[in-house]
Amino acid sequence: ESLLRTPESGLSSEEAANRLSKFGYNELPEKDENLILKFLSFFWGPMPCMIWLAAIVELIQCLSGRSEHWPDFAVLLGLQFVNGTVAFFEEYNAGNAIAELKASLAPKANVKRDGTWRIIKARELVPGDLIALQIGGVVPADAVLNGERTLEIDQAALTGESLPVTMRRGDTAKMGSTVRRGEMDAIVSKTGEHTFFGRAAGMVAEVEQTGRFQKVLFNVMIFLMGLATVSVIVILGILLSDNGTSSGEILTSIGTAVVLLIASIPIAMQVVATVTMAVGANLLASKKAIVARLSAIEELAGMHTLCSDKTGTLTLNQLQLDKPILFNENINGDRLFFLSALAAKRLDEGQDAIDTCIMNKALEKISKCEMEKYEQVDFIPFDPAIKRTEATIVHPKEGKFKVTKGAAPQILELCEDRARVEQKVMNNVNNLADRGYRALGVAVSDGEGVFKFAGILSLFDPPRVDTKATIERAQKLGVQVKMITGDHTAIAIETARRLGMGTTIHSVNAMREAPDTEEAFPSEGQNNKEDMILAADGFAEVLPEDKYKIVEVLQMCGQIVGMTGDGVNDAPALKKAEIGIAVQGATDAARAAADIVLTEPGLSVIIDAMIMSRKIFQRVRNYCIYRIAGTIQLIFFFFVAIFFRPENSFSDTSEKNFRLPVLAVVLVTLVNDACVLTISRDNVIPAKDPQAWHLKEVFIVSAVLGFVAMLESVVLLLIGFSAGDKASGSGLNHVFFQNGSASYGNVQSFMFLNLCLSDFITVFAARTRGWFFTRRPAMTLLGAGCIATLAMTFISTCASFGGMERITASTAFMVWVYVIIWFLIQDSMKIGAYWIIDTFKIVDREAYLNLVERKPKLRMDAAGVRKFSQNLRKSIGGKGDLDFASSFSRRGSSARYASIDAKSRNPMSI
């Protein structure tokens, strides 16, 4: 208890340092992960087990006296080690990168030390520290409340209580809970693992949602595994049928089949995807957007609608005061500014934008020293329920009085002279709102607590210089920006007009009253809730709980939604949206619920992050197309090749089926997957439309690339077999081989080089939608490819292993020429596939883009809203042929202002 006897000036810095050394940092001890066990975990799982199985089969053959299998066994072990080690280090590095980014989001605390309020890292708090708890903040440590008023604390994450708990002086607010209402000072009682949160940490689980990315990746893996497994089982059956069932032949056939399965399944897919996302997260951090959940990058790339705060995101959040409107002849403008400043919480740091603006204005005419003579003995903080603040002031000469400021209607309710001034006040408030100003009423009481209306402050938050251009850019990229604001509807419309946004903006009352029905027009001139939300350019007078409903309805209509927020009450909507974005200056609660946290204000940060995400998405998608194509090529080539009879064409072998040595197949897989890791840094162009996987398109393009490559290899195999001494020859065998003849071992090396080259070169066709040369590949990808293909060329011309015999340099050169010619055919077929997809609208991108770009700026009537929402649903579903005719009303918006429902005429100011 002696630790809690803290003076009003707070602890001294020296005492705080002593207690920090005694009690340690205010953080939970993290469970150290055993890196050795973590490393070993990468050698256990479906894919590693298949490699172990293949290695065991090779080892059994080695131990049975077949020494030629030792190299295969060694390479399989090498593959296992390299794959596990690369996966471990890439995930480890990715985890470190994300941990560093998250560390920059460390919570802060407002603490009083040495008589001064200051912002410090919450981990530096010690027992006895005097801290300020404010609405929207997360309680940084167990703390005993030390004030006369009450706080509402949300402890749902700790205790499961669904409703906030009302706490008073002497109660303990628990670390990790959230302040939902009120402000109060408190004294830290326990920190770190000694807090309730620390003791109950095992009960507090972090739920990681499965994003679209993981689901799509899983589906692709299942498809490839299914395709490869069925094909390999058939191949194994043919091998056993043709080669007999002796123990040696069974082991050889099983070894070949397992290695083919390993080669066909994308071992590196998860690693490539994780590395690409981690690299992208670092790039986004450079754009001032910190990613808290990796799969949010892919979802940001597919965002259709961004529900954006007005203040601080669309506008500068740098309020400017205009000339005040006075209602008391004894109070001039400077005095009104001063009185308004008295009705603010006195903090050295951390004041909100309105209080900061008013305080700075007041301090132009009066010193801080003079202001301190006006002692603030009581303070009621801003609360959305009462929409005002109030301070009780004591001054040696002026005595005791109260000052309140806030939304004009709520201030008028307190005033004795309400009947006399109300009409004039509301006329001024509405006039200011129509001009885009925010009105703030101010009232002051006498010694008996009777309030009189003193005047109106007019504040204006100017739009950001780049916001208008950013919104236009977002619309061209297929993203609708909806303004979500608590301000007056007229202010929202005026701001939207200045920003070049559409002006179909509704008061939230209209949304609440809209019926939940599928009927097109529930009553004349009225839309149902879904249509209204889909077509709206924004909503005004919104409370935080309304944001959740807006997100929910948009999601039910097939939209991928981004939502910005900064307050504690925004947290549910941020969690509900696919992409929750905590803007700069957001509360700890909002940042904890968000997927992306911005460290710079403005809408352009979000759009820049979205464009970067689309690039990241393109890289992952390109890799998936390449890997599916590679699987199709390999598995179907070996499926066809198994029917080729080497013994009928070559006298130097008794093999009944064509196959490559285990070592050769492993090398094809290992080299190509290792090289394609560099695709995470490839040069890409962001798509113009919100990104969706469009798996139909992915599989069509992959199939075209894969089957063309497979056909190429089968034709080359025919040429190779025509060079056998038992074959009749085809004429082309003289082009590839000296004297037109080759051994079976030569043909195996010949095909090994072809598979290495054609498999890797496919990535250059997969990475572009147009011709392969329309976009330069990254130097890392190009360099890795050159090294890998030249290395495989060197092996095929200089090394003999597993029965393979080296080929001549001229033969290798002709294989290169052959592969390049077929690559051009492959690229042409890919362009044809995309042309068919676009022409027959198998995937229709233009409809959605045209719809968003052509959305009218003027306010739409009910029929226009209905038509737009219908077309939007069709375009999200990938259906074309949208009806643009008669879709929108072109009538002016000025006449519509009068139809705003009467309830919206009263501004919800602050």
Side-chain angles (χ1 to χ4, degrees), residues 680-691:
S680 62
R681 292 173 174 82
D682 191 21
N683 296 324
V684 292
I685 297 174
K688 292 182 179 179
D689 60 317
Q691 293 292 269

Side-chain angles (χ1 to χ4, degrees), residues 414-433:
L414 304 174
C415 295
E416 180 193 43
D417 55 350
R418 173 180 179 178
R420 180 177 62 84
V421 301
E422 183 171 21
Q423 186 63 46
K424 185 180 177 182
V425 169
M426 294 314 299
N427 285 341
N428 278 286
V429 166
N430 290 332
N431 289 335
L432 288 169

Side-chain angles (χ1 to χ4, degrees), residues 48 214 254 332 361 472 482 493 538 555 566 600 624 627 669 683 748 776 856 877:
Q214 289 97 330
I254 290 175
N332 61 22
K361 186 70 174 178
E472 289 175 359
K482 295 184 187 291
I493 291 173
Q555 288 175 331
D566 60 358
E600 189 174 276
C624 286
R627 204 57 189 87
T669 304
N683 296 324
Q748 284 182 306
R776 180 179 63 82

Side-chain angles (χ1 to χ4, degrees), residues 142-159:
D142 282 4
V144 178
L145 301 187
N146 185 30
E148 300 304 323
R149 298 196 171 275
T150 61
L151 284 185
E152 285 194 8
I153 302 287
D154 184 348
Q155 302 182 134
L158 301 175
T159 64

Side-chain angles (χ1 to χ4, degrees), residues 252-567:
T252 300
S253 298
I254 290 175
T256 301
V258 171
V259 169
L260 282 178
L261 194 60
I262 293 168
S264 303
I265 296 173
I267 299 172
M269 179 172 277
Q270 186 63 49
V271 177
V272 171
T274 302
V275 170
T276 304
M277 292 291 190
V279 169
N282 279 304
L283 290 173
L284 286 174
S286 70
K287 295 287 186 181
K288 310 301 182 184
I290 296 176
V291 177
R293 180 171 59 89
L294 273 184
S295 60
I297 294 174
E298 181 261 352
E299 287 160 355
L300 182 59
M303 181 171 66
H304 297 107
T305 299
L306 174 63
C307 297
S308 173
D309 275 341
K310 178 179 75 68
T311 304
T313 305
L314 300 178
T315 61
L316 285 171
N317 195 23
Q318 294 176 359
L319 292 174
Q320 299 172 4
L321 279 163
D322 207 346
K323 186 177 179 180
I325 301 171
L326 305 175
F327 282 78
N328 189 322
E329 59 185 18
N330 297 319
I331 297 176
N332 61 22
D334 290 338
R335 176 68 177 175
L336 187 65
F337 290 138
F338 173 69
L339 290 172
S340 304
L342 293 179
K345 179 73 172 176
R346 296 187 190 177
L347 297 171
D348 295 302
E349 296 181 65
Q351 279 189 325
D352 66 24
I354 292 177
D355 284 348
T356 300
C357 175
I358 294 172
M359 185 66 74
N360 289 340
K361 186 70 174 178
L363 291 175
E364 291 177 5
K365 298 293 183 180
I366 188 171
S367 69
K368 206 165 188 179
C369 230
E370 289 180 73
M371 181 171 279
E372 287 175 358
K373 294 178 183 177
Y374 291 81
E375 184 185 356
Q376 193 180 83
V377 295
D378 194 13
F379 182 72
I380 299 176
F382 175 78
D383 188 318
I386 62 173
K387 303 186 184 74
R388 66 185 181 89
T389 64
E390 181 183 304
T392 303
I393 305 296
V394 174
H395 185 263
K397 293 182 179 179
E398 298 181 29
K400 186 175 182 180
F401 61 95
K402 293 181 179 181
V403 184
T404 183
K405 71 177 190 301
Q410 280 67 34
I411 300 299
L412 283 169
E413 288 176 5
L414 304 174
C415 295
E416 180 193 43
D417 55 350
R418 173 180 179 178
R420 180 177 62 84
V421 301
E422 183 171 21
Q423 186 63 46
K424 185 180 177 182
V425 169
M426 294 314 299
N427 285 341
N428 278 286
V429 166
N430 290 332
N431 289 335
L432 288 169
D434 289 339
R435 291 160 49 204
Y437 283 85
R438 178 182 296 185
L440 214 60
V442 182
V444 61
S445 77
D446 55 22
E448 297 177 0
V450 178
F451 281 101
K452 286 190 176 182
F453 198 84
I456 299 172
L457 299 180
S458 54
L459 300 102
F460 179 64
D461 186 9
R464 292 183 172 277
V465 176
D466 63 341
T467 299
K468 185 173 183 179
T470 302
I471 290 172
E472 289 175 359
R473 185 165 57 135
Q475 290 169 342
K476 288 179 180 177
L477 292 168
V479 177
Q480 292 190 81
V481 179
K482 295 184 187 291
M483 181 195 299
I484 309 294
T485 179
D487 273 339
H488 193 298
T489 306
I491 294 176
I493 291 173
E494 176 64 17
T495 304
R497 187 188 62 77
R498 294 188 185 202
L499 293 173
M501 297 175 65
T503 53
T504 307
I505 293 178
H506 307 283
S507 73
V508 79
N509 289 321
M511 183 196 81
R512 292 172 187 157
E513 293 167 4
D516 295 309
T517 174
E518 293 183 3
E519 185 183 345
F521 299 105
S523 63
E524 188 176 351
Q526 185 184 27
N527 294 110
N528 63 38
K529 191 165 291 184
E530 277 192 13
D531 287 348
M532 176 181 285
I533 292 175
L534 267 179
D537 294 305
F539 290 93
E541 306 180 30
V542 172
L543 294 176
E545 51 267 30
D546 297 314
K547 291 185 176 183
Y548 187 93
K549 183 64 178 177
I550 292 169
V551 172
E552 186 177 48
V553 171
L554 288 170
Q555 288 175 331
M556 286 191 300
C557 296
Q559 298 264 301
I560 295 174
V561 184
M563 169 63 78
T564 69
D566 60 358

